[in-house]
Amino acid sequence: MQIVFRELEGKSSTYYGLLGGLGLLALLGLFAAYQMEHHGHIITGMTNQVVWGIPHVFAVFLIVAASGVLNVASIATVFGKQFYKPLAPLSALLAIALLAGGLMVLMLDLGRADRLIVAMTHYNFKSVFAWNVFLYTGFFTLSAIYIWTMMDRKVAAFNKPVGFAAFFWRLSLTTGTGSLFGFLVARQAYDTALLAPMFIIMSFCYGLAVYLLVLMAAYSWSKRPLGDVVIRRLKNLLGVFIAAVLYFVAVYHLTNFYFTRQHEFERFILLDGGIYTLLFWIGQILLGGVVPLILLYAPATRQSRSAIASACLLVVLGGLAQMYVTIIGGQAFPLQMFPGMVESSSFFDGVIHPYVPSLPETLLGLGGVAVAGAMVVFAIKILRFLPESLDDLVVNPHHKSG
């Protein structure tokens, strides 16, 4: 059975309303960035102790999800699963859009985005931040070429080698993102090699949740057929990734318990951390992990598309909570300069550093999400990223795409 790709036809009030809403949110994000640039970080909740705030939570989540969302295309190309081939173009499009949204937030939060050219021409190769400049640009390039090989039959022969290159590159990108924290020996919450593989499995989970949400929304709003088998395979795969994330989180904290110097930090996150403890247990573990697994596998809800969409949304919210606990909680906990000793100075020694997100920060982060969403909504309207039908006919492993 032939799979035919088509752009979204006709004029739709839903389409223009969605695009307009995303555009407005993106403009609010740009306005927030202007306010932060004009007035300085004094209007944010960030301080000299908590230098990465809520914009970085959104940015890192988007970057991690961008790597993971490409997993759908990789399953088709690298692992030869033809079932996923019609799903691949949207996967690569989402990867580009999410990374663009995340990097936009990072650049605007740093200030003087016009000086990005300096960071792109002067490198300190001892810094993992410098490595990521290459990883990000390479990911954009490979993803764009990947889409080209999927949509143009003249270069279809290069689809597999490009797919392999994109697969290994995105693993490197997520490893580099996790290493941004894993190499920070000055923060007790970080400084562990476990963060690199943990970020990889987190990317698989968050990316697939975003992919499922976008896929279900696009086919629902365009009134195109979306087969139950497609949804069932993707949601079962998502369940595996959720369980894997919970496993890595458990290993990370159990590893910290092995080291006496980490006991105070673990107590802070798991018991006495206030908002960080609440976000960890309620946001990250319960709502972001346990409840989605129940929704995906419980007999009463596993066939319900609304329950599956709710599980995906909870995974996204749980991922943001996990990023908040990891990034901001790790900075809020005071650095132990001399473990086992008591030190005192005027520089907040032993003090839990406060942080309250401000409105401009939050709008900037949401603006990055809006930019990614607007890119996807616009692209699927004018280009052939979506098959006309993803009914259960796609189960046939011998289908031809066209």
Side-chain angles (χ1 to χ4, degrees), residues 21-201:
L22 292 171
L24 177 61
L25 188 56
L27 287 176
L28 288 174
L30 290 174
F31 178 73
Y34 167 76
Q35 291 295 314
M36 292 165 62
E37 174 76 14
H38 182 69
H39 296 285
H41 274 196
I42 190 66
I43 66 170
T44 75
M46 290 180 278
T47 64
N48 288 336
Q49 289 72 46
V50 180
V51 296
W52 294 340
I54 200 71
H56 300 81
V57 171
F58 280 98
V60 175
F61 177 87
L62 289 170
I63 292 169
V64 169
S67 169
V69 79
L70 196 60
N71 197 49
V72 175
S74 296
I75 293 173
T77 305
V78 177
F79 299 100
K81 301 296 183 182
Q82 293 298 310
F83 178 89
Y84 293 91
K85 192 172 182 180
L87 307 174
L90 178 63
S91 170
L93 169 64
L94 276 168
I96 292 175
L98 290 172
L99 184 60
L103 292 181
M104 185 206 81
V105 175
L106 280 183
M107 292 301 101
L108 293 178
D109 176 73
L110 288 174
R112 294 300 303 272
D114 56 303
R115 292 181 63 82
L116 177 62
I117 190 67
V118 176
M120 298 179 66
T121 54
H122 296 78
Y123 301 106
N124 171 20
F125 289 103
K126 292 183 178 180
S127 169
V128 70
F129 290 93
W131 304 351
N132 280 359
V133 172
F134 291 96
L135 293 173
Y136 295 148
T137 53
F139 187 81
F140 276 127
T141 303
L142 284 172
S143 295
I145 297 174
Y146 202 6
I147 292 175
W148 182 26
T149 63
M150 295 177 197
M151 303 181 73
D152 188 347
R153 292 184 177 181
K154 295 178 181 179
V155 292
F158 298 98
N159 180 251
K160 200 170 187 68
V162 172
F164 269 90
F167 174 73
F168 289 111
W169 197 275
R170 72 183 181 83
L171 291 181
S172 301
L173 184 148
T174 317
T175 300
T177 305
S179 298
L180 286 175
F181 303 97
F183 290 178
L184 285 177
V185 297
R187 294 288 183 182
Q188 282 183 255
Y190 313 138
D191 187 22
T192 172
L194 275 175
L195 286 176
M198 189 166 80
F199 266 66
I200 289 176
I201 196 60

Side-chain angles (χ1 to χ4, degrees), residues 96-388:
I96 292 175
L98 290 172
L99 184 60
L103 292 181
M104 185 206 81
V105 175
L106 280 183
M107 292 301 101
L108 293 178
D109 176 73
L110 288 174
R112 294 300 303 272
D114 56 303
R115 292 181 63 82
L116 177 62
I117 190 67
V118 176
M120 298 179 66
T121 54
H122 296 78
Y123 301 106
N124 171 20
F125 289 103
K126 292 183 178 180
S127 169
V128 70
F129 290 93
W131 304 351
N132 280 359
V133 172
F134 291 96
L135 293 173
Y136 295 148
T137 53
F139 187 81
F140 276 127
T141 303
L142 284 172
S143 295
I145 297 174
Y146 202 6
I147 292 175
W148 182 26
T149 63
M150 295 177 197
M151 303 181 73
D152 188 347
R153 292 184 177 181
K154 295 178 181 179
V155 292
F158 298 98
N159 180 251
K160 200 170 187 68
V162 172
F164 269 90
F167 174 73
F168 289 111
W169 197 275
R170 72 183 181 83
L171 291 181
S172 301
L173 184 148
T174 317
T175 300
T177 305
S179 298
L180 286 175
F181 303 97
F183 290 178
L184 285 177
V185 297
R187 294 288 183 182
Q188 282 183 255
Y190 313 138
D191 187 22
T192 172
L194 275 175
L195 286 176
M198 189 166 80
F199 266 66
I200 289 176
I201 196 60
M202 283 159 48
S203 75
F204 291 174
C205 181
Y206 304 158
L208 186 55
V210 171
Y211 183 90
L212 254 171
L213 281 174
V214 172
L215 183 72
M216 295 174 70
Y219 276 81
S220 174
W221 292 337
S222 62
K223 302 187 184 323
R224 295 186 180 189
L226 179 60
D228 290 334
V229 175
V230 175
I231 297 297
R232 186 168 66 249
R233 286 204 182 185
L234 291 175
K235 70 100 175 174
N236 287 340
L237 185 60
L238 177 61
V240 173
F241 291 153
I242 294 171
V245 169
L246 291 174
Y247 166 78
F248 267 92
V249 170
V251 170
Y252 167 74
H253 288 285
L254 288 173
T255 302
N256 278 344
F257 275 123
Y258 186 80
F259 301 101
T260 303
R261 66 183 178 87
Q262 295 287 62
H263 287 181
E264 286 300 315
F265 168 72
E266 286 300 315
R267 183 178 181 84
F268 170 70
I269 293 295
L270 302 182
L271 294 176
D272 301 332
I275 184 62
Y276 306 108
T277 300
L278 184 67
L279 284 175
F280 176 81
W281 289 112
I282 303 299
Q284 179 180 336
I285 301 300
L286 181 62
L287 297 181
V290 176
V291 173
L293 283 176
I294 293 173
L295 291 174
L296 293 176
Y297 291 116
T301 57
R302 65 187 179 190
Q303 304 294 337
S304 168
R305 295 200 176 188
S306 60
I308 294 170
S310 298
C312 293
L313 182 59
L314 286 173
V315 168
V316 170
L317 295 176
L320 289 170
Q322 185 166 8
M323 290 294 103
Y324 194 99
V325 172
T326 301
I327 296 173
I328 299 177
Q331 297 173 88
F333 186 76
L335 174 64
Q336 288 188 358
M337 298 294 294
F338 305 100
M341 306 294 289
V342 176
E343 70 270 3
S344 177
S345 75
S346 59
F347 295 99
F348 305 98
D349 291 335
V351 176
I352 302 297
H353 307 303
Y355 171 78
V356 178
S358 67
L359 181 60
E361 290 177 88
T362 306
L363 287 176
L364 176 57
L366 291 174
V369 176
V371 166
M375 289 176 64
V376 173
V377 169
F378 181 72
I380 62 177
K381 177 67 176 177
I382 64 170
L383 296 174
R384 299 178 178 182
F385 281 99
L386 295 176
E388 280 189 338

